[in-house]
Amino acid sequence: MTKIAIIGGGIVGATAAFYLVQTKDNQVTVFDEPHGQATRAAAGIISPWLSKRRNQKWYRLANAGTQLYPQLVIDAQLDQRAYHEVGTLITRKTDVKLDELWQLAQARLQSAPQMKNIVRWSPQKINAELPFFKPDIFAGGVFVTGGARVDGKQLVNQLLRHANVQLVKQHAQIKRQQTQILVNQQPFDQIIIAGGARAPELVQQLGFNLLVRPQKGQLIELADNDLAITGNMPVVMPEGERDIIPVGKHQLMIGATHENDQGFDLTASTQVINDLLKSGQSVITGLTESMITNVRVGTRAYTDDFAPFFGQLPALKNVWIASGLGSSGLTTGPIIAKLMAQSINGENVDLTPFTLPVTNYLSSIDRKA
């Protein structure tokens, strides 16, 4: 039996636990401290195909993540609260920009059949399908039918429940003791560090400095009977504004922010809440402050190149790490977790198409390791 410790019960940790318990010889313990966790505060959009990011490794990873989700939904019996394929609408304010977006969508569709169909929506179509928007504020949009929305908290809760692993809700400490690596004084055969922005604290205990920084993210939840919204409406990525995520009858979310230099502060900011509301008001009719029902706040992990990384720590072949997922964590996290789980289970998996070496994100190494 292989004893495996996973430090972090967010998107990477929960998905890795799910895949690792599929092998009967694995005994998995998840050390989860959910306070401030980025995943549980996140509402994600699974639609990376029209991003203009030039990092090809990131795009391969994100594209592979979208391919994984439909099967993960079946295998883990995820319901629509966790993952719902409602489509995504990306809008533009001018015909020129809309033409450019349409051409990009057509090109990306060739290598991403999971996009399913792409449809060009006119202003009239947008107003007909999404009556809560102010009329004629967009030149149009590109609707991607394969896009989906994800609720991070629902997703990890359902994955962990289905995995039926040992869940330890406490802060994890990791240290070397001669040839062993201990987590909370217990020896394990394999360890996955999936602590997000807290990963540097853990890695430092093993003699490394990790180039990962925290980034605060906030989003607001709103509900009102006057909001003409259903849970089957697509997620909207309006040009120049925050994402709009319909989540149920008369309910939506707006966000999220990307706030640097806030450390691990989880205080909801009045200024940020007002900015998010103002962004929503610029495109939605009748939106008011009284409709805000909740504010979600979490801390993401970011790297200087804004790219996720994952793999083994050098000289510690039984210690794996994944961090730096940033705002695309709900898209890239599950595929990262699956690739690491496959590697731990002895499969020959090539990670190089998807990530730079972990050593690229270490500022110094304990050469005695």
Side-chain angles (χ1 to χ4, degrees):
M1 178 179 294
T2 302
K3 293 180 63 178
I4 302 171
I6 299 175
I7 304 176
I11 186 61
V12 173
T15 312
F18 170 76
Y19 281 114
L20 285 168
V21 297
Q22 307 305 308
T23 301
K24 294 181 180 179
D25 290 337
N26 291 333
Q27 179 182 324
V28 179
T29 301
V30 177
F31 294 87
D32 183 29
E33 188 180 27
H35 183 63
Q37 184 187 94
T39 301
R40 293 180 185 274
I45 301 170
I46 309 302
S47 187
W49 307 289
L50 303 188
S51 170
K52 292 185 178 180
R53 290 177 64 167
R54 297 181 179 181
N55 187 321
Q56 291 301 307
K57 288 183 184 292
W58 174 86
Y59 181 74
R60 288 190 207 101
L61 185 67
N63 195 35
T66 65
Q67 295 178 36
L68 174 63
Y69 257 110
Q71 190 60 50
L72 180 61
V73 168
I74 295 171
D75 293 342
Q77 301 173 25
L78 302 177
D79 62 30
Q80 291 185 350
R81 294 174 300 164
Y83 177 93
H84 195 184
E85 190 176 291
V86 291
T88 52
L89 176 68
I90 302 92
T91 69
R92 290 293 182 263
K93 296 179 180 179
T94 69
D95 289 330
V96 171
K97 290 184 177 180
L98 185 59
D99 287 341
E100 292 174 352
L101 185 68
W102 177 249
Q103 291 169 9
L104 176 61
Q106 289 181 308
R108 290 281 170 84
L109 183 61
Q110 303 306 311
S111 60
Q114 64 273 22
M115 292 173 69
K116 296 189 176 178
N117 298 312
I118 54 173
V119 184
R120 187 161 172 161
W121 279 16
S122 66
Q124 295 75 25
K125 177 68 171 176
I126 293 175
N127 293 151
E129 297 292 334
L130 304 170
F132 60 89
F133 276 128
K134 294 179 179 179
D136 303 324
I137 57 174
F138 307 118
V142 175
F143 179 59
V144 182
T145 62
R149 72 165 191 262
V150 173
D151 185 284
K153 184 177 181 179
Q154 288 288 342
L155 179 59
V156 296
N157 284 346
Q158 292 182 33
L159 283 169
L160 289 172
R161 184 167 60 247
H162 191 81
N164 194 29
V165 296
Q166 181 180 359
L167 188 61
V168 180
K169 289 188 174 294
Q170 61 181 228
H171 185 72
Q173 297 287 337
I174 186 170
K175 70 175 183 178
R176 294 192 219 187
Q177 188 175 80
Q178 296 178 347
T179 60
Q180 288 185 319
I181 305 295
L182 305 181
V183 179
N184 288 8
Q185 303 301 318
Q186 302 176 54
F188 289 91
D189 301 308
Q190 297 284 344
I191 298 167
I192 296 177
I193 298 175
R198 297 285 186 183
E201 301 172 14
L202 297 163
V203 173
Q204 193 170 45
Q205 297 170 39
L206 298 175
F208 302 94
N209 290 323
L210 193 64
L211 296 174
V212 168
R213 65 181 187 272
Q215 185 188 70
K216 186 176 181 178
Q218 301 183 63
L219 61 80
I220 55 176
E221 300 179 20
L222 304 98
D224 190 89
N225 288 336
D226 289 335
L227 290 173
I229 293 173
T230 71
N232 293 320
M233 287 179 170
V235 173
V236 185
M237 304 168 73
E239 182 184 7
E241 303 296 344
R242 302 293 184 181
D243 297 333
I244 309 295
I245 309 172
V247 293
K249 190 174 183 180
H250 310 306
Q251 301 174 63
L252 59 81
M253 296 186 189
I254 301 174
T257 61
H258 298 74
E259 304 167 53
N260 297 318
D261 305 318
Q262 297 294 312
F264 292 91
D265 174 35
L266 297 174
T267 305
S269 164
T270 300
Q271 180 180 348
V272 170
I273 293 169
N274 290 336
D275 287 344
L276 289 169
L277 179 63
K278 184 178 179 180
S279 180
Q281 288 172 329
S282 69
V283 295
I284 297 174
T285 302
L287 210 60
T288 66
E289 184 179 358
S290 64
M291 297 178 182
I292 299 175
T293 59
N294 187 39
V295 182
R296 297 191 184 191
V297 187
T299 306
R300 309 182 191 95
Y302 259 89
T303 57
D304 287 343
D305 61 2
F306 301 98
F309 67 91
F310 56 103
Q312 293 168 298
L313 283 177
L316 296 172
K317 298 302 182 182
N318 66 330
V319 181
W320 296 75
I321 185 170
S323 191
L325 277 66
S327 57
S328 65
L330 291 177
T331 301
T332 60
I335 186 62
I336 288 173
K338 183 177 183 180
L339 291 169
M340 288 197 300
Q342 289 175 323
S343 299
I344 289 171
N345 281 337
E347 297 183 40
N348 186 17
V349 180
D350 183 10
L351 305 183
T352 56
F354 307 109
T355 178
L356 292 173
V358 170
T359 50
N360 283 36
Y361 303 94
L362 298 173
S363 62
S364 64
I365 301 176
D366 181 0
R367 297 301 179 183
K368 296 179 181 180

